[in-house]
Every structure is written in structure tokens, then in C-alpha cells.
């Protein structure tokens, strides 16, 4: 957290599912931006994005997912088990951070799946939804990716985590401090992640919330071109972009400047505007 811009305020918000750690930075009066990491990534993954400019235009709130590696503390016997549970949990988090709304809600990978489920169920209070290479929202996972990830999921070790990240990111240079933190996640108590169906895309297509989707063009978890086409068909009023030289797990780190520019764009597109597709 020492690499984040300016002072970082850490709070623990009470929710029905335990205490949720949130790391916040940026001007106190700026529009609230709530960031959900991918599975196992922790809130620390958003430091590069905050430093690249997001913390200049927003009050950034980076969340440790309950039940995932990080400093959130699940309530005994109250682990979320369904997407509806996660929506309830996120409701409590948003109420604690920005009770008067509206907020921009952004998520990467598994965090994007959670954000999309929440937005489809409870669009009130959201000004904007930003999905960063979302998994299981517009396309399924590639079997080869799942097979490669299984050893990390079943018996994580620092060596397996680093090997998997090197394979998926195609050897991209990743922040050494963040990689050391990823090593530590191998010792986090194993918890069964919440799974379920894809979010109701018809609800996301309604004009209540502006939706932006950014895909990683070199993602191994799914076919990014196919996922982007599915997103354009399902959400014709959304802005859909593809970054061609970025992988899935590296996206928040190596494309931080592009993400910060996307998040700082406060100009609302015309209703039902044509999607932008950059391959």
C-alpha cells in the first residue's frame, strides 16, 4: 500500500457476512469509485490504477472480497453461498461507502461477475458499471485455462501461483511487491468461491445504468473477440473496447493508464449509442 498515491484510509465495514476491508484514497469530495478485484488478487491490485489517475478524478474505494484473500473477515457460519448473497454483501458495502450514491462500480474478472450480478439485481444507486475482462458474464472459460488453473486452485503454492501467472500473462513484467503478495495468498484458508449462472444481461441492457466493458485482447481464460461480440449483441448501448496487447491477469497492472482514462471519462454517451470495438 506504500506505493499508492497520497494517504490511504483503511476501514472495516460491518456487513451481514462479516467485516469488509476497504482501502480508500483520493479527494474526499470526488465522485465515489468502488473497485472489486479478481479472485485471489486483493484490493492491492488497484494501486497502479489509482496512481495512474483514478485517484485524481474519484474517491477510490478498493475492496477486499469477503471470503477471498485479503483482510476482510467473514462472519462465522455466514459465508456468501449464492450470487444473491454477494449482492446483499455488496449492498452493505456500498451503503457504508456512499449511502447517498450514485457510485461508479467497477470489477475485474470474478469481481466483474459480482458487480454485474449486483447491477442486474439492484441498479438503483449506481451511476456507472465498468466490467474489466469479466469472466462468466459474456462467455465461458476455455477448458485449457481451467485445466491449467486447477493445480493452483486445489493446492496453491507460491511456485504454482507464479508459474500460472507467468503462463497466462505470457511473461509480462508484473509489480514485484504485488507478486510477493500473491505468494502469501497460498497460505490463505481455502474457501469455496461462489459460483452460479451468468447475470441477467437483459437487465444490464436497460438504460438505468451506463455500462462500459473492457476486454484483454490476449486473455487465455476466454476468447476475447468472441466475448466482445457477445457483449455488443447483449448490450448495444454500452461502450465495448478491446486492448489487444494485454492479458487477463495483467490487466489491472499493465493497463492501469488505459483503465484510469476509462474511469475518468465522465461524459455520458448518447442513449443506445453504437458500441466501440477495437481489435
Amino acid at each position: 500500500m506504500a506505493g499508492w498515491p497520497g494517504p490511504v484510509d483503511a476501514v472495516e465495514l460491518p456487513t451481514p457476512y462479516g467485516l469488509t476491508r476497504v482501502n480508500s484514497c483520493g479527494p474526499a469530495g470526488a465522485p465515489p469509485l468502488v473497485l472489486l478485484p479478481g479472485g485471489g488478487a486483493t484490493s492491492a491490485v488497484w494501486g497502479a490504477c489509482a496512481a495512474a489517475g483514478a485517484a485524481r478524478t474519484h474517491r477510490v474505494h478498493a475492496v477486499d472480497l469477503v471470503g477471498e484473500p485479503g483482510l476482510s473477515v467473514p462472519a462465522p457460519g455466514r459465508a456468501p453461498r449464492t450470487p444473491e448473497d454477494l449482492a446483499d454483501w455488496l449492498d452493505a458495502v456500498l451503503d457504508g461507502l456512499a449511502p447517498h450514491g450514485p457510485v461508479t462500480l467497477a470489477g475485474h474478472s470474478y469481481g466483474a461477475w459480482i458487480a454485474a450480478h449486483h447491477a442486474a439485481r439492484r441498479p438503483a444507486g449506481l451511476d456507472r458499471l465498468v466490467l474489466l475482462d469479466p469472466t462468466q458474464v459474456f462467455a465461458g472459460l476455455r477448458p485449457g485455462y481451467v485445466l491449467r488453473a486447477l493445480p493452483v486452485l486445489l493446492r496453491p503454492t507460491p511456485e504454482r501461483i507464479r508459474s500460472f501467472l507467468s503462463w497466462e500473462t505470457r511473461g509480462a513484467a508484473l509489480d514485484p511487491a504485488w507478486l510477493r503478495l500473491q505468494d502469501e495468498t497460498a497460505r490463505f484458508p481455502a474457501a469455496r468461491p461462489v459460483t452460479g449462472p451468468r447475470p441477467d444481461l437483459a437487465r444490464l441492457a436497460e438504460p438505468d445504468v451506463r455500462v462500459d466493458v473492457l476486454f484483454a485482447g490476449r486473455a487465455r481464460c476466454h476468447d476475447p473477440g468472441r466475448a466482445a461480440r457477445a457483449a455488443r449483441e447483449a448490450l448495444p448501448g454500452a461502450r465495448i473496447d478491446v486492448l489487444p496487447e494485454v492479458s487477463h491477469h495483467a490487466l489491472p497492472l499493465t493497463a492501469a493508464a488505459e483503465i484510469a482514462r476509462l474511469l475518468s471519462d465522465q461524459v455520458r454517451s448518447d442513449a443506445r449509442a453504437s458500441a466501440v470495438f477495437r481489435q
Side-chain angles (χ1 to χ4, degrees), residues 5 17-18 26 67 84 91 102 119-120 139 167 174 192 200 205 221 243-244 255 277:
Y17 299 94
E84 187 67 31
D91 257 347
W167 169 76
L174 301 177
R192 183 178 179 180
D200 185 350
C221 56
L243 289 178
F277 180 67

Side-chain angles (χ1 to χ4, degrees), residues 132-199:
L132 302 172
D133 212 37
T135 49
Q136 303 284 51
V137 175
F138 303 104
L141 297 175
R142 283 173 164 161
Y145 173 87
V146 174
L147 288 174
R148 193 82 184 219
L150 273 177
V152 179
L153 296 173
L154 296 175
R155 192 168 67 84
T157 66
E159 294 76 21
R160 286 182 174 186
I161 291 171
R162 291 213 180 201
S163 175
F164 175 73
L165 288 173
S166 178
W167 169 76
E168 199 286 324
T169 64
R170 304 170 197 263
L174 301 177
D175 176 42
W178 182 77
L179 281 174
R180 290 198 300 274
L181 182 59
Q182 290 303 107
D183 292 345
E184 295 300 318
T185 66
R187 292 199 285 267
F188 192 83
R192 183 178 179 180
V194 177
T195 58
R198 297 182 190 179

Side-chain angles (χ1 to χ4, degrees), residues 11-16 20 22 32 34 61 63 86-103 105 118 122-126:
V11 298
E12 292 181 338
L13 296 176
T15 77
T20 296
V22 181
V34 178
H61 303 291
V63 179
L86 287 174
D88 289 342
W89 163 76
L90 190 49
D91 257 347
V93 172
L94 296 179
D95 285 345
L97 294 173
H100 306 295
V103 305
L105 176 62
H118 181 275
R122 299 171 173 84
L126 293 185

Side-chain angles (χ1 to χ4, degrees), residues 1-10 21-25 42-47 50 62 64 71 175 177-178 181:
M1 302 305 297
W4 284 46
V8 176
D9 300 318
R21 171 62 67 93
V22 181
N23 293 302
S24 304
C25 64
T42 80
S43 58
V45 76
W46 298 113
D64 277 344
L71 296 177
D175 176 42
W178 182 77
L181 182 59

